[in-house]
Structure formats: structure tokens, C-alpha cells
Amino acid sequence: MLISRHGRRAAIAGLGAIAVLGVAFTGATPARAQDYPNKPITLIIPWPAGGSSDVSMRAIAEAASKRLGQPFVMDNKPGAAGSLGPATMAAAAKPDGYTLSQMPISVVRIPIIQKTTFETMRDFTYVSRLTGYTFGVTTKADSPFKTWADVIKYAKENPGKVTYGSPGTGTSLHIAMEMMAAREGVKFTHVPFKGGAETNAAVLGGHTMLQADSTSWKPLVDGGQIRLLNIWTAERSKVWPDVPTLKELGYPFVFDSPFGVAGPKGMDAAIVKKLDAAFREALTDKDVIETLARYDMFPRYLGPEEYRKSVQELVEVETKALTDLGMAKK
């Protein structure tokens, strides 16, 4: 087909426009990621203010904001054993990197126990795994329970009368206490709360005999108001070297529930990479290290792919454990 000189000019111009348009389209995602972030980022903390999760996440976010150049706006959204915040994010937030959530292990566990509005592996973009907890069981300082053996003896003599508070049904604290009770052939009565501030108040006020929680109880233990009966890490804590681990008490369990941050499904990989780099660097910040040490917490960093893989492995492990306990949904 013959094309006139004028036609050739028009065709060349048209091709040039298409080429420019093509560059614009192919460059749209990198350009958006390159500009990110250009406004504050909301970080959901699915626990009440003041507990170890809240304080540690605020310190990590403050350090990460220095690299990102934008502040984090904290949104405490407790409920459903720590899964309410992530569930709300999955249902309503845009995958633009401006809404993230701390991801407690209950995000893995609750969907195994009951029907939920989210699926663990489908509805989140996993960014960074950050740290893990030191868990333990405490009792009021003037309690007759001086050791864990005292608790078990009383529970055997008084079925169902040992009460304990935890951050909620389906949390590691709840599951572990039931596993210990089953192993001992006793029954505890579980009293669920929303977080450490409430479980602290419950055991201090004598509303529960025991408290099973992370180290939001540390100031009370150090101040002599409550007594630490056991811890759930693999080795004894350097902070409380006289307190036995579960393994030393005859239970083949270690619970530290590593957690991280995630966003809604479908986030841009380049934005995830920026966020991951900021959170990874935050774990080396002096203030973050001091804050984690205050609660006997420790870095458990994994990048996006490794973090997602570890969550998938947890789903498989927890499914078996909860099925064996008869707690998995039918």
C-alpha cells in the first residue's frame, strides 16, 4: 500500500504518540512507587494502648518513618483476639501502602477455629516479620501459688476453679493454657480480655487467679506486685533467670508467636520493598532495641517472601494442633 508524504508524516507522528503513551503506561507503576509515600501511613495495632505489642510497634514505626520520610498514624483497634484490626483492613483498605496492620498469630489461628471474613493466605500482602514475644503466667504477689506445681495441685483438687485471663479466645496464651491443662488432666476456667492492660488489672484486682500474657506484666513483676510462675521461651530469660520454662516443667512446648506487618492483598511489589527496607532498618535502631529489651522481646526479621512462607507453614502446624485439640471448625 502506498502512503503519501503527508500520510507518512502522520503515521510516524501517530506511532510516536503511541510509543510515548506506551512508556507512560509501562512507567505508571514505578512512578507511583517512586513517589511513595507522600502522606502519612495508618498502622493498625489490633490491641489496646499500653501493652507490649502497642509500645513495641510504636517504637518500630517511629524508626521506620525516619527512612520513609512520612509519619505513621497509629490506630488501636482491639478485638477478636487481635484479628479484628487485620480483618477490618482486609475488608476496607486500599492496597496503596497507606494502611498496614500488625499481624498477630491469631490471624492464622482464628480462621481455623471459626468462620471469618478473611482468609490468611488470600487477603493480605505480607511485608516484614519483625519480632516475637516472651509469654508467661503470673499470679498476684500474695497468692498462695508460689510455683506452677501449686497451681496444678489446686486445679486437681478443685476442678474448674483456677481462673486465668488472656488476651482472648484463640490466642497463643489461651491455646497453650488449654494444652497444659489437657496434659495435666485438669480444667482451667478461661476469662478472655482484649489485651495486657486488662489482664494486668484482672490479676491485680483478684478477678482472676492467673494471667497468661506477654510481657506487659514486666513492670508489675519487677515491682513485686505480681509473681511470674513460668515463661514459654526455649531457654530461661536473662531478665528472670530463676523462672522455669515450660520445657523444664515437663511440657514439650515453646511459644513466642512471631509477628510482623502486612497490608491488604494486591499491594505493588515496589512499595512493599520500600516498606520492608524501612522496617528492617528500624530493627537496628537504638531506641527500638531498648524498647524490645524492656519487654524481653527480640528481633525475628524475615523479608516479604520468607515471611509469607513462614505464615503458610504456621497455617499447617496450627491446623493440625487445633484439630488434635478438637478446636478446629467442622
Side-chain angles (χ1 to χ4, degrees):
M1 180 174 66
L2 297 176
I3 302 177
S4 67
R5 181 179 297 175
H6 175 75
R8 282 199 300 274
R9 288 199 197 99
I12 291 168
L15 288 171
I18 291 171
V20 170
L21 192 61
V23 169
F25 276 119
T26 57
T29 297
R32 187 174 71 249
Q34 186 176 355
D35 293 341
Y36 174 87
N38 56 28
K39 62 180 181 179
I41 302 164
T42 295
L43 177 58
I44 295 170
I45 301 177
W47 307 104
S52 58
S53 298
D54 176 70
V55 175
S56 61
M57 282 306 307
R58 287 174 185 271
I60 291 169
E62 176 65 25
S65 71
K66 296 173 186 176
R67 179 177 179 121
L68 293 168
Q70 289 289 342
F72 283 88
V73 177
M74 303 303 175
D75 181 10
N76 290 89
K77 203 176 291 291
S83 67
L84 176 63
T88 302
M89 178 184 72
K94 296 178 181 178
D96 56 8
Y98 289 102
T99 304
L100 304 173
S101 178
Q102 186 223 10
M103 301 293 280
I105 198 172
S106 51
V107 174
V108 170
R109 190 175 288 137
I110 297 297
I112 301 170
I113 297 174
Q114 64 190 46
K115 185 176 180 181
T116 58
T117 59
F118 65 89
E119 290 185 18
T120 306
M121 301 310 300
R122 181 194 68 191
D123 292 322
F124 304 105
T125 301
Y126 292 91
V127 176
S128 307
R129 193 177 80 176
L130 299 172
T131 183
Y133 297 100
T134 290
F135 292 133
V137 178
T138 73
T139 190
K140 197 174 179 182
D142 60 5
S143 163
F145 300 144
K146 307 302 181 185
T147 67
W148 182 247
D150 293 337
V151 174
I152 298 303
K153 182 176 183 294
Y154 184 89
K156 288 181 176 180
E157 296 171 351
N158 302 273
K161 290 189 177 180
V162 173
T163 57
Y164 73 93
S166 89
T169 302
T171 58
S172 293
L173 289 309
H174 169 224
I175 300 302
M177 290 292 283
E178 295 307 309
M179 290 173 71
M180 285 188 277
R183 195 172 182 86
E184 295 284 359
V186 300
K187 179 175 175 54
F188 298 146
T189 296
H190 178 222
V191 184
F193 294 96
K194 291 182 178 180
E198 293 185 1
T199 60
N200 278 335
V203 76
L204 274 176
H207 307 297
T208 61
M209 294 180 177
L210 305 173
Q211 169 197 30
D213 212 331
S214 61
T215 46
S216 55
W217 38 251
K218 183 179 185 297
L220 299 174
V221 171
D222 293 347
Q225 295 164 277
I226 59 178
R227 180 183 302 115
L228 182 59
L229 299 176
N230 57 49
I231 60 168
W232 301 1
T233 46
E235 306 291 338
R236 287 201 180 197
S237 168
K238 293 179 181 178
V239 182
W240 304 285
D242 297 330
V243 178
T245 66
L246 293 185
K247 293 174 74 174
E248 289 177 300
L249 294 172
Y251 306 104
F253 310 137
V254 174
F255 296 94
D256 57 15
S257 296
F259 67 82
V261 290
K265 66 179 180 182
M267 284 177 60
D268 187 296
I271 290 176
V272 172
K273 185 177 180 180
K274 275 192 172 184
L275 285 166
D276 175 52
F279 283 116
R280 183 177 67 245
E281 186 174 300
L283 290 176
T284 68
D285 182 88
K286 180 176 178 290
D287 289 340
V288 170
I289 292 169
E290 290 178 356
T291 299
L292 294 180
R294 192 186 315 155
Y295 291 99
D296 205 35
M297 298 168 72
F298 45 92
R300 295 282 306 271
Y301 170 78
L302 288 177
E305 290 303 316
E306 295 84 359
Y307 183 22
R308 181 178 176 83
K309 182 180 178 181
S310 75
V311 173
Q312 179 62 65
E313 291 170 352
L314 269 175
V315 170
E316 296 166 7
V317 169
E318 291 288 331
T319 298
K320 182 182 185 308
L322 291 166
T323 300
D324 290 347
L325 280 171
M327 296 180 67
K329 66 178 184 284
K330 304 300 182 183

